[in-house]
Amino acid sequence: MNWLKLAEEKKEEIITELQKLIQIPSVLQKDLATDDMPFGPKPLEALQHMLREGEQAGFTTKNVDNMAGHIEMGEGEEILGILCHVDVVPEGNGWTYPPFEGIVANDRVYGRGAIDDKGPTIAAWMAMKLVKESGIELSKKVRMIIGTDEESGFRCVDRYFQKEEMPTIGFAPDADFPIINAEKGIASLIFTQTGSPETETIQFFQAGKRTNMVPDEAFAFVFGGLITIKEKFDVFAKEHGITGEVAPQGPTVKVLVHGKSAHAMEPDEGVNAAIVLAKFLQTINLTDHSKAFVDFLVEGFGEDSRGHNLALNFTDEISGDTTLNPGVIHYAPEQGSCTQVSMRYSVTYPFEKKLAACREVLKQMSITLDLGSNSAPHHVDEKDELIQTLQKVYKRNTGEEAKLLSIGGGTYARVLDKGVAFGMLFPGRKDVAHQLDEYVDIEDLIKATAIYADAIVELAGKNIEAGEK
């Protein structure tokens, strides 16, 4: 079966389907969440849209508590799971193209979610349609499981698997090709500083909305002379190549700094506005409590995203370096400070030992460390049949060897008993997930659709399972 040819024939439909999904701004809406809309109306709308598409195409669908759902085809005792998500991170500011329109330009589709994870979701969905239309018999159920809270904690699939059967095998089209068989652990670390009864130089400091994103903006209200602070900032901005603003804000001066957003799995791809602002604030005279706050940010994260100064650093051959992203930072004198950090830690990380060592270091800084959440690392052995099969599929469709990878990001593969991340960012392509002007190359969208169709047949096709070619 020439899946690439069949996918190319569906090119316009694939693009249109992706545009419709991008046009639903399915960002978590905490303020609008209810029992019937657990993550707000827009994530639910995106889920309902996909389930409706499945019903109209003749697939079996199910909605699980408006948190997740599935689209299913095939028969059999075993299940091949394809785990996707339709929620997205906030869009941020400064887009060239509107983030929720799905504009086609430069042979790309632009929009929040284009590569994470709406583009891959549509590629997998269209692959299922191609397989169904081909008439190939399946020996397993093929179930696309759709979540709506992947970017904010996996509550959707937690609920789903409380009520639905775990797939026998599966993959998540939500990362990189060729195959990711190792995902680092993801822990939320909360660093806190007690409040101060004194009048402090820094009256307020805020940065970030999500721990899984590098903050692209940070601001602070400080006491001090406007002219002096502005002169210092202009020098600092030129020296560090950053932009921002200094303006009066009542009795204080507001200092705003722009950074560059990136995914928390590799903080060095971005510029953390909070750390830049903290470095600038070190150049002005600060009261003790304010100084302790910015010194902690700079010493802990200023020159190193690997946690060396906090005794959290670790690396292994399976998954590489442990990384730290201070993604949400808040300071107010009476409340103290709270710095929420996403730590992506290596597969063999000695977790308790490293946290204990970090707490010893923090005693000198008057900072405490608490563990917010922790998702253990995920690893599938390279000799597993699932890996071997997907390697064969990838090589057949690309002509390239399917090298095994590890990532610091967390995909739904980690919730499967046996699952991997399988695309759809191809080698050599820039990773623009969570960034401004996020896009997917249309060529890649079509190619991934073909690969996923081939993978479905290899993993669940009746003739393939029987050894027939």
Side-chain angles (χ1 to χ4, degrees):
M1 190 74 69
N2 188 338
W3 295 113
L4 182 58
K5 181 176 183 295
L6 293 173
E8 287 172 341
E9 292 172 356
K10 296 272 192 181
K11 177 179 175 180
E12 294 307 317
E13 182 181 352
I14 292 171
I15 293 171
T16 300
E17 288 295 309
L18 176 54
Q19 288 175 315
K20 288 192 292 186
L21 192 53
I22 286 174
Q23 287 162 7
I24 303 171
S26 47
V27 179
L28 173 68
Q29 299 167 292
K30 289 183 180 179
D31 295 344
L32 300 176
T34 66
D35 289 344
D36 292 332
M37 300 181 295
F39 312 118
K42 290 304 178 182
L44 175 57
E45 182 182 339
L47 172 63
Q48 291 173 331
H49 168 78
M50 289 302 304
L51 296 179
R52 188 163 54 249
E53 291 286 307
E55 290 172 5
Q56 292 173 352
F59 291 75
T60 301
T61 66
K62 186 171 185 178
N63 183 329
V64 177
D65 298 341
N66 285 343
M67 287 190 174
H70 67 240
I71 301 172
E72 181 180 286
M73 66 180 181
E75 301 291 338
E77 295 297 318
E78 297 185 341
I79 299 172
L80 166 62
I82 305 173
L83 275 67
C84 307
H85 69 91
V86 291
D87 61 306
V88 295
V89 297
E91 65 273 23
N93 301 312
W95 283 67
T96 305
Y97 303 97
F100 295 116
E101 289 188 15
I103 296 295
V104 175
N106 312 313
D107 296 319
R108 297 166 172 167
V109 180
Y110 287 85
R112 178 57 84 218
I115 195 66
D116 181 19
D117 186 43
K118 292 183 175 182
T121 295
I122 293 301
W125 161 232
M126 293 302 297
M128 288 181 67
K129 290 181 73 173
L130 287 177
V131 173
K132 187 174 189 294
E133 291 169 5
S134 74
I136 293 174
E137 287 191 77
L138 300 173
S139 63
K140 297 182 178 72
K141 294 186 180 77
V142 178
R143 182 176 288 181
M144 172 184 274
I145 299 168
I146 304 162
T148 61
D149 183 49
E150 194 269 356
E151 300 289 1
S152 304
F154 286 34
R155 289 169 291 181
C156 50
V157 287
D158 288 345
R159 175 66 62 83
Y160 180 87
F161 286 118
Q162 287 172 6
K163 298 192 171 186
E164 297 296 320
E165 185 179 353
M166 175 67 65
T168 317
I169 55 174
F171 62 86
D174 185 24
D176 297 356
F177 280 128
I179 300 166
I180 293 168
N181 71 320
E183 295 187 12
K184 294 178 184 176
I186 303 177
S188 173
L189 306 183
I190 303 171
F191 297 87
T192 56
Q193 173 191 22
T194 58
S196 168
E198 306 297 329
T199 300
E200 292 294 331
T201 315
I202 302 174
Q203 285 296 290
F204 191 79
F205 183 111
Q206 182 69 48
K209 296 178 180 179
R210 300 280 184 89
T211 58
N212 63 352
M213 297 175 70
V214 175
D216 62 358
E217 185 175 289
F219 66 91
F221 299 150
V222 300
F223 284 129
L226 174 63
I227 294 175
T228 300
I229 291 175
K230 190 174 189 316
E231 288 176 348
K232 285 179 176 288
F233 184 80
D234 289 343
V235 172
F236 179 88
K238 184 176 181 180
E239 179 183 346
H240 291 83
I242 57 101
T243 61
E245 302 170 13
V246 175
Q249 183 77 30
T252 66
V253 177
K254 180 179 180 180
V255 183
L256 172 71
V257 167
H258 300 293
K260 178 186 175 186
S261 183
H263 197 292
M265 65 179 165
E266 183 40 87
D268 292 348
E269 295 288 332
V271 177
N272 193 311
I275 304 306
V276 175
L277 178 55
K279 287 181 178 179
F280 168 69
L281 293 174
Q282 285 184 319
T283 69
I284 66 177
N285 292 325
L286 298 173
T287 44
D288 290 345
H289 193 263
S290 297
K291 186 176 187 301
F293 165 62
V294 297
D295 285 352
F296 163 68
L297 287 182
V298 175
E299 291 171 19
F301 313 101
E303 303 301 331
D304 174 30
S305 63
R306 269 52 184 169
H308 286 86
N309 288 349
L310 296 174
L312 291 169
N313 58 297
F314 189 85
T315 188
D316 62 24
E317 291 186 8
I318 297 173
S319 55
D321 291 348
T322 295
T323 63
L324 300 168
N325 177 60
V328 181
I329 303 99
H330 175 83
Y331 172 87
E334 292 184 2
Q335 299 172 6
S337 70
C338 178
T339 302
Q340 298 178 53
V341 174
S342 178
M343 181 173 75
R344 312 295 172 113
Y345 62 93
S346 312
V347 168
T348 60
Y349 195 77
F351 194 82
E352 296 299 334
K353 180 180 178 181
K354 297 300 288 185
L355 261 61
C358 179
R359 289 188 173 104
E360 286 299 313
V361 173
L362 293 174
K363 287 179 180 179
Q364 305 167 26
M365 304 180 183
S366 299
I367 300 287
T368 58
L369 167 61
D370 293 296
L371 179 63
S373 62
N374 184 25
S375 177
H378 178 74
H379 180 232
V380 178
D381 189 87
E382 62 183 8
K383 296 179 181 179
D384 192 276
E385 185 179 355
L386 172 63
I387 301 287
Q388 301 285 320
T389 301
L390 293 179
Q391 285 181 317
K392 179 174 64 176
V393 166
Y394 184 81
K395 184 174 183 179
R396 180 162 61 218
N397 284 272
T398 66
E400 304 290 335
E401 293 294 331
K403 296 180 180 178
L404 300 182
L405 307 172
S406 68
I407 59 169
T411 75
Y412 283 151
R414 67 174 54 233
V415 305
L416 294 171
D417 291 342
K418 185 184 290 188
V420 297
F422 188 46
M424 62 164 271
L425 187 70
F426 285 92
R429 295 296 198 191
K430 183 180 179 181
D431 186 357
V432 292
H434 295 199
Q435 297 187 27
L436 298 180
D437 290 330
E438 181 182 345
Y439 63 82
V440 62
D441 288 280
I442 293 172
E443 175 188 359
D444 294 352
L445 193 61
I446 305 305
K447 190 191 302 184
T449 300
I451 290 173
Y452 293 144
D454 196 2
I456 289 168
V457 174
E458 275 289 336
L459 293 168
K462 184 171 291 187
N463 291 341
I464 294 298
E465 187 174 84
E468 300 178 20
K469 302 295 179 183

